[in-house]
Amino acid sequence: MGHQTSFHAPHGGADFLGWRKTRAGATEIVYDDGVARRMVWRVAGPEASDARISDALRVAVGSHRIVPTLYDELKKRAIGIEKVAG
């Protein structure tokens, strides 16, 4: 069964949050505020399932403070990340 890989903020902002697989097979999380800020994190460790990542992103994008909520949701699910860009 597939999992949703991209989310847009429901509160009228241009915020985008999604995850993708690189050519090397690593998972990356991407945030873009639609104006000036784009951030990319690499998921550290293979233990993070697609479903857990998708759930964390869904909750975070529904918040008005997306990035801090994303950090909280990933921490709750024991998903480690390392910043790649932004």
Side-chain angles (χ1 to χ4, degrees):
M1 177 190 270
H3 300 284
Q4 188 170 353
T5 60
S6 62
F7 303 85
H8 289 274
H11 46 75
D15 296 299
F16 167 84
L17 191 57
W19 62 273
R20 64 189 180 197
K21 297 280 187 178
T22 65
R23 289 183 197 169
T27 301
E28 293 181 341
I29 296 173
V30 179
Y31 168 73
D32 193 319
D33 70 359
V35 180
R37 194 163 73 163
R38 180 180 172 90
M39 302 168 81
V40 180
W41 301 270
R42 185 172 299 117
V43 175
E47 66 280 349
S49 72
D50 294 348
R52 287 183 24 217
I53 294 170
S54 184
D55 288 343
L57 271 58
R58 180 183 42 77
V59 171
V61 82
S63 167
H64 286 285
R65 298 185 60 209
I66 294 174
V67 175
T69 304
L70 174 63
Y71 288 142
D72 291 342
E73 292 300 318
L74 293 172
K75 186 175 180 179
K76 281 183 199 175
R77 291 167 175 79
I79 299 171
I81 57 171
E82 58 182 311
K83 198 168 198 178
V84 176

